[in-house]
Amino acid sequence: MSNIDWCVLIFTLLAVVVYGVFIGRGQKSNESYLKADSKMPWYIVLLGIMATQASAITFLSAPGQAYTDGMRFVQYYFGLPLAMIVICITFIPIFQRLNVYTAYEYLENRFDKKTRVLTSLLFLFSRGLSTGISIYAPSIILSSVLNWNIYLTNVLTGGILLIYTYVGGAKAIAHTQKLQFLIILGTMAFAGYLLVQNMPNGIGFSDALYLAGKSGKLNVITTNFDWKDKYNIWSGLIGGFFLALSYFGTDQSQVGRYITAKDNTNAKMGLLLNGLVKIPMQFAILLIGALLFAFFSLKPAPIYFNERSYQYLKETQPKQAAVFEKAHRNLTEKFNSESKNILIQKENHSPGLNESIAKFKATQKDVKDLHGKVEEAINQSNFNAEKTDTNYIFLYFVKNTLPVGMIGLLFAVIFLASWGSISAALNSLAACSLKDIHLIFSKKEMNDSTELKYSRLHTLAWGIFSIAVAMFATQMGSLIEAVNVLGSLFYGPILGIFLVAFYFRKIDGPLVFISAILSEITVIGVYEFDVVSFLWLNVIGAAAVIIFSILGLLFYKPKNIGER
């Protein structure tokens, strides 16, 4: 990067850190540190919810996901608006009425202490691991730009955001998320504009869309039903509904955002608007990936977007790399020529257009097959890097195409997006481990200042844990997919526990406790044997808790039912 880009990057990041420390100063109690005194208006709640969900993974990996697999990933969010409605009707009124610090406090009132602890542990394990992946995502950038070791950049990335998260708690997080997300949205929109403006040969937006469409990248809705297909309208509506219901309704990283709201109305407005805004926003981000494919169908793309990984292959297997490069040059020239020819024929309404499109698609397949061979060769080497180059596609475009200053700002955006989600996750992990684990098993009485001290220590401990997890994230492929697969392994059973609590009055703690354990074993078994795609795991997990609980009533008579 140029000196100007470095200045833009450093200034932006320092400004956010200083702002977070300033706005979060003067913390005196856990009510303020963990819940921001429950004074946040709806627009802060909205931006906090979106910033928590839209991590660096969203902005770094989603364009690459669309580049490689098309835009069908957006169907993953189709169940979101329905889930927001259910949460506003059922979850929020209960959490607000009980004035909880964590979602799992309610489970002790409804069931018993061990059910609360079990659910908290499931959340802590899943969220702690996914937070590590979120730290790893922006670490890729530093590693690529500076040619630094990825393990060092994991420590730097996770360590910097700990400064204002540790000091300012929920208040600092809420206000920095507001600032971060506004910068992110503006910068990504401008990056999309520059992508279209930089299309080769004066190609316009409609022509780029045409190429993206003919290459199969605008596959927004796929209606074919297939249990093992990860993204179609059925898995999105049903599996996505259950995943969103669990994530926004029972995941403390999201519950922690809307329990900071001033009242029920502000919490509900923030959630409902998130349900309306999220799909168009994700569509736009994925569209950037589809347009990137059109961009690189008109001009030469690299043989492999992770340049460091390919460089290692060249150094260790020069003859094999030379064969790959010769095939790549020939295919690239052919593919670029066919792409331009299609647009000319389209403009002239040529009768041979369909035949040209068929050739274009055949060459596209050949390019993909060659990429697969290069990727396989890299993965068979001993180089410690990602299994795919999906996460580097948008990064490559930024580094090699965008103007000076904009590169530094976009790198800053990926950091800010990461910080927004990670800081909220660390705050929620600290709240959960302190309130649902530490204080339950601690025999010592604590005053406000002591609890505040322990809240900060828990925040620090989870930050260190997440950085450690990031060290092992290099083999996960597409990060946006990896983090959602990980969540799906645990969200179903967690959601099932809450659904039983809300809607099955006769089922008590011991019964739901056993059912939840059996459900988690079932989900892991289904995943290990690759029975269905990961989105369906959320449905299976939630349904299994309910079914096991109902079946248990045939053999067990509940004794005590807690408060609803």
Side-chain angles (χ1 to χ4, degrees), residues 406-483:
M406 190 67 191
I407 297 173
L409 186 57
L410 259 165
F411 285 164
V413 157
I414 297 174
F415 274 96
L416 295 181
S418 174
W419 288 0
S421 62
I422 296 168
S423 60
L426 294 181
N427 181 255
S428 66
L429 288 165
C432 186
S433 61
L434 176 69
K435 290 290 186 178
D436 297 326
I437 309 295
H438 186 156
L439 294 182
I440 283 180
F441 293 103
S442 175
K443 297 180 180 179
K444 296 180 180 179
E445 292 290 330
M446 296 186 190
N447 56 31
D448 282 347
S449 61
T450 304
E451 271 198 41
L452 177 59
K453 180 185 76 173
Y454 276 109
S455 293
R456 286 189 167 128
L457 289 176
H458 277 254
T459 301
L460 180 62
W462 280 111
I464 294 171
F465 174 83
S466 299
I467 292 171
V469 170
M471 302 300 186
F472 299 95
T474 58
Q475 300 297 319
M476 291 189 176
S478 172
L479 295 178
I480 195 166
E481 191 171 286
V483 77

Coordinates of all heavy atoms in Angstrom, one line a residue, residues 406-483:
M406 N -8.4 5.0 -1.2 CA -9.6 4.1 -1.2 C -9.2 2.7 -0.7 O -9.9 2.0 0.0 CB -10.3 4.0 -2.5 CG -11.6 3.3 -2.5 SD -12.8 4.2 -1.6 CE -14.2 3.0 -1.5
I407 N -8.0 2.3 -1.0 CA -7.4 1.0 -0.6 C -7.3 1.0 0.9 O -7.8 0.0 1.6 CB -6.1 0.7 -1.3 CG1 -6.3 0.6 -2.8 CG2 -5.5 -0.6 -0.7 CD1 -5.0 0.4 -3.5
G408 N -6.7 2.0 1.5 CA -6.6 2.1 2.9 C -7.9 2.1 3.6 O -8.1 1.5 4.7
L409 N -8.9 2.8 3.1 CA -10.2 2.9 3.7 C -10.9 1.6 3.7 O -11.6 1.2 4.6 CB -11.0 4.0 3.0 CG -12.4 4.4 3.6 CD1 -12.2 4.8 5.0 CD2 -13.1 5.4 2.8
L410 N -10.8 0.9 2.5 CA -11.5 -0.4 2.5 C -10.8 -1.4 3.4 O -11.5 -2.3 4.0 CB -11.4 -0.9 1.1 CG -12.8 -0.7 0.3 CD1 -12.6 -0.9 -1.2 CD2 -13.8 -1.7 0.9
F411 N -9.5 -1.4 3.6 CA -8.9 -2.2 4.6 C -9.4 -1.9 6.0 O -9.6 -2.7 6.8 CB -7.4 -2.1 4.5 CG -6.7 -2.8 3.3 CD1 -5.5 -2.5 2.9 CD2 -7.5 -3.8 2.6 CE1 -4.9 -3.2 1.8 CE2 -6.9 -4.4 1.6 CZ -5.6 -4.1 1.1
A412 N -9.5 -0.6 6.2 CA -10.0 -0.1 7.5 C -11.5 -0.6 7.7 O -11.8 -1.0 8.8 CB -10.0 1.4 7.6
V413 N -12.3 -0.6 6.7 CA -13.6 -1.1 6.8 C -13.7 -2.6 7.2 O -14.5 -2.9 8.1 CB -14.3 -1.0 5.4 CG1 -15.5 -1.9 5.3 CG2 -14.8 0.5 5.2
I414 N -12.8 -3.4 6.7 CA -12.8 -4.8 7.1 C -12.4 -4.9 8.5 O -13.0 -5.8 9.2 CB -11.9 -5.6 6.1 CG1 -12.5 -5.5 4.7 CG2 -11.8 -7.1 6.6 CD1 -11.6 -6.2 3.6
F415 N -11.5 -4.1 9.0 CA -11.2 -4.1 10.4 C -12.4 -3.7 11.3 O -12.7 -4.3 12.3 CB -10.0 -3.2 10.7 CG -8.7 -3.9 10.5 CD1 -8.0 -3.7 9.3 CD2 -8.1 -4.6 11.5 CE1 -6.8 -4.3 9.1 CE2 -6.8 -5.2 11.3 CZ -6.2 -5.1 10.1
L416 N -13.0 -2.6 10.8 CA -14.1 -2.0 11.6 C -15.3 -3.0 11.7 O -15.9 -3.2 12.7 CB -14.6 -0.7 11.0 CG -13.6 0.4 11.0 CD1 -14.2 1.7 10.4 CD2 -13.1 0.7 12.4
A417 N -15.6 -3.7 10.6 CA -16.6 -4.7 10.6 C -16.3 -5.8 11.5 O -17.2 -6.3 12.2 CB -16.8 -5.2 9.1
S418 N -15.1 -6.2 11.5 CA -14.6 -7.3 12.4 C -14.7 -6.8 13.9 O -15.3 -7.5 14.7 CB -13.2 -7.6 12.1 OG -12.7 -8.6 13.1
W419 N -14.3 -5.6 14.2 CA -14.3 -5.1 15.5 C -15.8 -5.0 16.0 O -16.0 -5.3 17.2 CB -13.7 -3.8 15.6 CG -12.2 -3.8 15.5 CD1 -11.4 -4.9 15.3 CD2 -11.3 -2.7 15.5 NE1 -10.1 -4.6 15.2 CE2 -10.0 -3.2 15.3 CE3 -11.5 -1.3 15.6 CZ2 -8.9 -2.4 15.3 CZ3 -10.3 -0.5 15.6 CH2 -9.0 -1.0 15.4
G420 N -16.7 -4.6 15.2 CA -18.1 -4.4 15.6 C -18.7 -5.7 16.1 O -19.3 -5.8 17.1
S421 N -18.4 -6.8 15.3 CA -19.0 -8.1 15.7 C -18.2 -8.8 16.9 O -18.8 -9.4 17.8 CB -19.0 -9.1 14.5 OG -17.7 -9.3 14.0
I422 N -16.9 -8.6 16.8 CA -16.1 -9.3 17.9 C -16.3 -8.6 19.2 O -16.4 -9.3 20.2 CB -14.6 -9.3 17.5 CG1 -14.4 -10.1 16.2 CG2 -13.7 -9.8 18.6 CD1 -13.0 -9.9 15.6
S423 N -16.3 -7.3 19.2 CA -16.5 -6.6 20.5 C -17.8 -7.0 21.2 O -17.9 -7.2 22.4 CB -16.4 -5.1 20.3 OG -17.4 -4.6 19.4
A424 N -18.9 -7.0 20.4 CA -20.2 -7.5 20.9 C -20.1 -8.9 21.4 O -20.7 -9.2 22.4 CB -21.2 -7.3 19.8
A425 N -19.4 -9.8 20.6 CA -19.3 -11.2 21.1 C -18.6 -11.3 22.4 O -19.0 -12.0 23.3 CB -18.6 -12.0 20.0
L426 N -17.4 -10.6 22.5 CA -16.7 -10.6 23.7 C -17.5 -10.1 24.9 O -17.4 -10.7 26.0 CB -15.4 -9.8 23.6 CG -14.4 -10.3 22.6 CD1 -13.1 -9.4 22.6 CD2 -14.0 -11.8 22.9
N427 N -18.2 -9.1 24.7 CA -19.1 -8.5 25.8 C -20.2 -9.6 26.2 O -20.4 -9.7 27.4 CB -19.8 -7.2 25.3 CG -20.7 -6.6 26.3 OD1 -21.9 -6.7 26.3 ND2 -20.1 -6.0 27.3
S428 N -20.7 -10.2 25.2 CA -21.8 -11.2 25.5 C -21.2 -12.5 26.2 O -21.8 -13.0 27.1 CB -22.5 -11.6 24.2 OG -21.7 -12.3 23.3
L429 N -20.0 -12.9 25.7 CA -19.3 -14.0 26.3 C -19.0 -13.7 27.8 O -19.2 -14.6 28.7 CB -18.1 -14.4 25.5 CG -18.3 -15.0 24.2 CD1 -17.0 -15.0 23.4 CD2 -18.7 -16.5 24.3
A430 N -18.5 -12.5 28.0 CA -18.2 -12.1 29.4 C -19.4 -12.1 30.3 O -19.4 -12.6 31.4 CB -17.5 -10.7 29.4
A431 N -20.5 -11.5 29.8 CA -21.8 -11.5 30.5 C -22.3 -12.8 30.9 O -22.7 -13.1 32.0 CB -22.8 -10.7 29.7
C432 N -22.2 -13.7 29.9 CA -22.7 -15.1 30.1 C -21.8 -15.9 31.0 O -22.4 -16.6 31.9 CB -22.8 -15.8 28.7 SG -23.6 -17.4 28.7
S433 N -20.5 -15.9 30.8 CA -19.7 -16.7 31.7 C -19.6 -16.1 33.1 O -19.5 -16.9 34.1 CB -18.2 -16.7 31.1 OG -17.7 -15.4 31.0
L434 N -19.8 -14.8 33.3 CA -19.9 -14.2 34.6 C -21.2 -14.5 35.3 O -21.2 -15.1 36.4 CB -19.6 -12.7 34.5 CG -19.7 -12.0 35.9 CD1 -18.6 -12.4 36.8 CD2 -19.8 -10.5 35.7
K435 N -22.3 -14.2 34.6 CA -23.6 -14.3 35.2 C -24.1 -15.7 35.3 O -24.8 -16.1 36.3 CB -24.6 -13.4 34.5 CG -24.4 -11.9 34.6 CD -24.7 -11.4 36.0 CE -24.7 -9.9 36.2 NZ -25.1 -9.5 37.5
D436 N -23.9 -16.5 34.3 CA -24.5 -17.8 34.2 C -23.6 -18.9 34.7 O -24.0 -20.1 35.0 CB -24.9 -18.1 32.8 CG -25.9 -17.2 32.2 OD1 -26.8 -16.8 33.0 OD2 -25.9 -16.9 31.0
I437 N -22.3 -18.7 34.9 CA -21.4 -19.7 35.3 C -20.7 -19.3 36.6 O -20.8 -19.9 37.7 CB -20.3 -20.1 34.3 CG1 -21.0 -20.4 32.9 CG2 -19.4 -21.2 34.7 CD1 -21.8 -21.6 32.9
H438 N -19.9 -18.2 36.5 CA -19.0 -17.8 37.6 C -19.9 -17.5 38.9 O -19.6 -18.0 40.0 CB -18.3 -16.5 37.2 CG -17.2 -16.1 38.2 ND1 -16.1 -15.3 37.9 CD2 -17.2 -16.2 39.6 CE1 -15.4 -15.0 39.0 NE2 -16.1 -15.6 40.0
L439 N -20.9 -16.6 38.8 CA -21.6 -16.1 40.0 C -22.5 -17.2 40.5 O -22.8 -17.3 41.7 CB -22.5 -14.9 39.6 CG -21.7 -13.6 39.3 CD1 -22.6 -12.5 39.0 CD2 -20.7 -13.3 40.4
I440 N -22.9 -18.2 39.6 CA -23.8 -19.3 40.1 C -23.0 -20.2 41.0 O -23.5 -20.7 42.0 CB -24.3 -20.1 38.9 CG1 -25.5 -19.3 38.3 CG2 -24.8 -21.5 39.3 CD1 -26.2 -19.9 37.1
F441 N -21.7 -20.5 40.6 CA -20.9 -21.4 41.4 C -20.0 -20.8 42.4 O -19.4 -21.4 43.2 CB -20.0 -22.3 40.4 CG -20.9 -23.2 39.6 CD1 -21.1 -22.9 38.2 CD2 -21.4 -24.3 40.1 CE1 -21.9 -23.7 37.4 CE2 -22.2 -25.2 39.3 CZ -22.4 -24.9 38.0
S442 N -19.9 -19.4 42.4 CA -19.1 -18.7 43.4 C -19.9 -18.6 44.7 O -21.1 -18.3 44.7 CB -18.8 -17.3 42.9 OG -18.1 -16.6 43.9
K443 N -19.2 -18.8 45.8 CA -19.8 -18.7 47.1 C -19.6 -17.3 47.7 O -20.1 -17.1 48.8 CB -19.3 -19.8 48.0 CG -19.6 -21.2 47.5 CD -19.0 -22.3 48.5 CE -19.3 -23.7 47.9 NZ -18.8 -24.7 48.8
K444 N -18.9 -16.5 47.1 CA -18.6 -15.2 47.6 C -19.6 -14.1 47.2 O -20.0 -14.1 46.0 CB -17.2 -14.7 47.2 CG -16.1 -15.6 47.7 CD -14.7 -15.1 47.3 CE -13.6 -15.9 47.8 NZ -12.3 -15.4 47.3
E445 N -20.0 -13.2 48.1 CA -20.9 -12.1 47.7 C -20.0 -11.0 47.1 O -18.9 -10.8 47.5 CB -21.5 -11.5 49.0 CG -22.6 -12.5 49.6 CD -23.8 -12.6 48.7 OE1 -24.1 -11.6 48.0 OE2 -24.4 -13.7 48.7
M446 N -20.5 -10.4 46.0 CA -19.7 -9.4 45.3 C -20.5 -8.1 45.3 O -21.7 -8.1 45.0 CB -19.4 -9.8 43.9 CG -18.5 -11.0 43.8 SD -18.1 -11.4 42.1 CE -17.3 -13.0 42.2
N447 N -19.8 -7.0 45.5 CA -20.4 -5.7 45.3 C -20.3 -5.2 43.8 O -19.7 -5.9 43.0 CB -19.8 -4.6 46.3 CG -18.3 -4.5 46.1 OD1 -17.7 -4.7 45.0 ND2 -17.6 -4.2 47.2
D448 N -20.8 -4.0 43.5 CA -20.8 -3.6 42.1 C -19.4 -3.5 41.6 O -19.1 -3.9 40.4 CB -21.5 -2.2 42.0 CG -23.0 -2.4 42.0 OD1 -23.4 -3.5 41.9 OD2 -23.7 -1.4 42.2
S449 N -18.5 -2.9 42.4 CA -17.1 -2.7 41.8 C -16.4 -4.0 41.6 O -15.6 -4.1 40.7 CB -16.3 -1.8 42.8 OG -16.2 -2.4 44.1
T450 N -16.6 -5.0 42.5 CA -16.0 -6.3 42.3 C -16.5 -7.0 41.1 O -15.8 -7.6 40.3 CB -16.2 -7.2 43.6 OG1 -15.7 -6.5 44.7 CG2 -15.5 -8.5 43.4
E451 N -17.9 -6.9 40.9 CA -18.5 -7.6 39.7 C -18.0 -6.9 38.4 O -17.7 -7.6 37.4 CB -20.0 -7.4 39.8 CG -20.7 -8.6 40.5 CD -22.2 -8.7 40.1 OE1 -22.5 -8.5 39.0 OE2 -22.9 -9.0 41.0
L452 N -17.8 -5.6 38.5 CA -17.3 -4.9 37.3 C -15.9 -5.3 37.0 O -15.5 -5.5 35.8 CB -17.3 -3.4 37.6 CG -16.7 -2.5 36.4 CD1 -17.5 -2.7 35.1 CD2 -16.8 -1.0 36.9
K453 N -15.1 -5.5 38.0 CA -13.7 -6.0 37.8 C -13.7 -7.4 37.2 O -12.9 -7.6 36.2 CB -13.0 -6.1 39.2 CG -11.5 -6.5 39.1 CD -10.9 -6.7 40.4 CE -11.4 -8.0 41.1 NZ -10.7 -8.3 42.4
Y454 N -14.5 -8.3 37.7 CA -14.6 -9.6 37.1 C -15.2 -9.6 35.7 O -14.8 -10.4 34.8 CB -15.4 -10.5 38.0 CG -14.7 -11.1 39.1 CD1 -14.9 -10.7 40.4 CD2 -13.7 -12.1 38.9 CE1 -14.1 -11.3 41.5 CE2 -12.9 -12.7 39.9 CZ -13.2 -12.2 41.2 OH -12.4 -12.8 42.2
S455 N -16.1 -8.7 35.4 CA -16.6 -8.5 34.0 C -15.5 -8.2 33.1 O -15.4 -8.8 31.9 CB -17.7 -7.5 33.9 OG -18.8 -7.8 34.7
R456 N -14.6 -7.3 33.5 CA -13.5 -7.0 32.6 C -12.5 -8.1 32.4 O -12.0 -8.4 31.4 CB -12.8 -5.7 33.2 CG -13.6 -4.4 33.0 CD -12.8 -3.2 33.3 NE -13.4 -2.0 32.9 CZ -13.7 -0.9 33.6 NH1 -13.4 -1.0 34.9 NH2 -14.2 0.1 33.1
L457 N -12.3 -8.9 33.5 CA -11.4 -10.0 33.5 C -11.9 -11.1 32.5 O -11.2 -11.7 31.8 CB -11.1 -10.6 34.9 CG -10.3 -9.7 35.8 CD1 -10.2 -10.3 37.2 CD2 -8.9 -9.5 35.2
H458 N -13.3 -11.3 32.6 CA -13.9 -12.3 31.7 C -13.8 -11.8 30.3 O -13.5 -12.6 29.4 CB -15.4 -12.5 32.1 CG -15.6 -13.4 33.2 ND1 -16.1 -14.7 33.0 CD2 -15.3 -13.3 34.6 CE1 -16.2 -15.3 34.2 NE2 -15.7 -14.5 35.1
T459 N -13.9 -10.5 30.0 CA -13.8 -10.0 28.7 C -12.4 -10.2 28.1 O -12.2 -10.7 27.0 CB -14.0 -8.5 28.7 OG1 -15.4 -8.2 29.1 CG2 -13.9 -7.9 27.3
L460 N -11.4 -10.0 29.0 CA -10.0 -10.2 28.6 C -9.7 -11.7 28.3 O -9.1 -12.0 27.3 CB -9.1 -9.7 29.7 CG -7.6 -9.9 29.5 CD1 -7.1 -9.1 28.3 CD2 -6.8 -9.4 30.8
A461 N -10.3 -12.5 29.2 CA -10.0 -14.0 29.0 C -10.6 -14.5 27.7 O -10.0 -15.3 27.0 CB -10.6 -14.7 30.2
W462 N -11.8 -14.0 27.4 CA -12.5 -14.5 26.1 C -11.7 -13.9 24.9 O -11.7 -14.5 23.9 CB -13.9 -14.1 26.1 CG -14.8 -15.0 26.9 CD1 -15.4 -14.8 28.1 CD2 -15.0 -16.4 26.6 NE1 -16.1 -15.9 28.5 CE2 -15.8 -16.9 27.6 CE3 -14.6 -17.3 25.5 CZ2 -16.3 -18.2 27.6 CZ3 -15.1 -18.6 25.6 CH2 -15.9 -19.1 26.6
G463 N -11.2 -12.7 25.1 CA -10.4 -12.2 24.0 C -9.1 -13.0 23.7 O -8.8 -13.3 22.5
I464 N -8.5 -13.5 24.8 CA -7.3 -14.3 24.6 C -7.7 -15.7 24.0 O -7.0 -16.2 23.1 CB -6.6 -14.5 26.0 CG1 -6.0 -13.2 26.4 CG2 -5.5 -15.6 25.9 CD1 -5.5 -13.2 27.9
F465 N -8.8 -16.2 24.5 CA -9.3 -17.5 24.0 C -9.6 -17.4 22.5 O -9.3 -18.3 21.7 CB -10.6 -17.9 24.7 CG -11.3 -19.2 24.2 CD1 -10.8 -20.4 24.5 CD2 -12.3 -19.1 23.3 CE1 -11.4 -21.6 24.0 CE2 -13.0 -20.2 22.8 CZ -12.5 -21.5 23.1
S466 N -10.3 -16.4 22.1 CA -10.7 -16.2 20.7 C -9.5 -16.0 19.8 O -9.4 -16.5 18.6 CB -11.6 -15.0 20.5 OG -12.8 -15.1 21.3
I467 N -8.4 -15.3 20.2 CA -7.2 -15.2 19.5 C -6.6 -16.6 19.3 O -6.1 -16.9 18.2 CB -6.2 -14.2 20.2 CG1 -6.8 -12.8 20.1 CG2 -4.8 -14.3 19.5 CD1 -6.0 -11.8 21.0
A468 N -6.6 -17.4 20.4 CA -6.1 -18.8 20.3 C -6.8 -19.6 19.2 O -6.2 -20.3 18.4 CB -6.1 -19.4 21.6
V469 N -8.2 -19.5 19.2 CA -9.0 -20.2 18.2 C -8.6 -19.7 16.8 O -8.5 -20.5 15.8 CB -10.5 -20.0 18.4 CG1 -11.3 -20.5 17.3 CG2 -10.9 -20.6 19.7
A470 N -8.3 -18.4 16.6 CA -8.0 -17.9 15.3 C -6.7 -18.5 14.7 O -6.6 -18.6 13.5 CB -7.8 -16.4 15.4
M471 N -5.9 -19.0 15.6 CA -4.6 -19.6 15.2 C -4.9 -20.9 14.4 O -4.1 -21.4 13.6 CB -3.7 -20.0 16.4 CG -3.3 -18.7 17.2 SD -2.4 -17.5 16.2 CE -2.0 -16.3 17.5
F472 N -6.1 -21.5 14.7 CA -6.4 -22.8 14.0 C -7.4 -22.7 12.9 O -8.0 -23.6 12.4 CB -6.9 -23.8 15.1 CG -6.0 -24.1 16.2 CD1 -6.0 -23.4 17.4 CD2 -5.0 -25.1 16.0 CE1 -5.1 -23.7 18.4 CE2 -4.1 -25.4 17.0 CZ -4.1 -24.7 18.2
A473 N -7.7 -21.4 12.5 CA -8.8 -21.2 11.5 C -8.3 -21.2 10.1 O -9.1 -21.0 9.2 CB -9.4 -19.8 11.8
T474 N -7.1 -21.5 9.8 CA -6.5 -21.4 8.5 C -7.0 -22.5 7.5 O -6.9 -22.4 6.3 CB -5.0 -21.5 8.5 OG1 -4.6 -22.7 9.1 CG2 -4.4 -20.3 9.3
Q475 N -7.6 -23.5 8.0 CA -8.0 -24.7 7.2 C -9.6 -24.7 7.0 O -10.1 -25.8 6.7 CB -7.5 -26.0 7.8 CG -6.0 -26.0 7.9 CD -5.3 -25.9 6.6 OE1 -5.7 -26.5 5.6 NE2 -4.2 -25.2 6.5
M476 N -10.3 -23.6 7.1 CA -11.7 -23.7 7.1 C -12.4 -23.2 5.8 O -13.6 -23.1 5.7 CB -12.3 -22.8 8.2 CG -12.0 -23.3 9.6 SD -12.8 -22.4 10.9 CE -12.4 -23.4 12.3
G477 N -11.6 -22.9 4.7 CA -12.2 -22.6 3.5 C -12.9 -21.2 3.5 O -12.4 -20.3 4.1
S478 N -14.1 -21.2 3.0 CA -14.9 -19.9 3.0 C -15.3 -19.6 4.4 O -16.0 -20.4 5.1 CB -16.2 -20.1 2.1 OG -17.0 -19.0 2.3
L479 N -14.8 -18.5 4.9 CA -15.1 -18.2 6.4 C -16.6 -17.9 6.6 O -17.1 -18.3 7.7 CB -14.3 -17.0 6.8 CG -12.7 -17.2 6.7 CD1 -12.0 -15.9 7.1 CD2 -12.3 -18.3 7.7
I480 N -17.3 -17.3 5.7 CA -18.7 -17.0 5.9 C -19.5 -18.3 6.0 O -20.5 -18.4 6.8 CB -19.2 -16.1 4.8 CG1 -20.6 -15.5 5.3 CG2 -19.4 -16.8 3.5 CD1 -21.0 -14.3 4.4
E481 N -19.1 -19.3 5.3 CA -19.7 -20.6 5.4 C -19.3 -21.3 6.7 O -20.2 -21.9 7.4 CB -19.4 -21.4 4.2 CG -20.3 -22.7 4.0 CD -20.0 -23.3 2.7 OE1 -20.5 -22.8 1.7 OE2 -19.4 -24.4 2.7
A482 N -18.0 -21.3 7.0 CA -17.5 -22.0 8.2 C -18.2 -21.5 9.5 O -18.6 -22.3 10.3 CB -16.0 -21.8 8.3
V483 N -18.4 -20.2 9.6 CA -19.0 -19.6 10.8 C -20.4 -20.0 11.0 O -21.0 -20.2 12.1 CB -18.7 -18.1 10.9 CG1 -19.7 -17.3 10.0 CG2 -18.9 -17.6 12.4

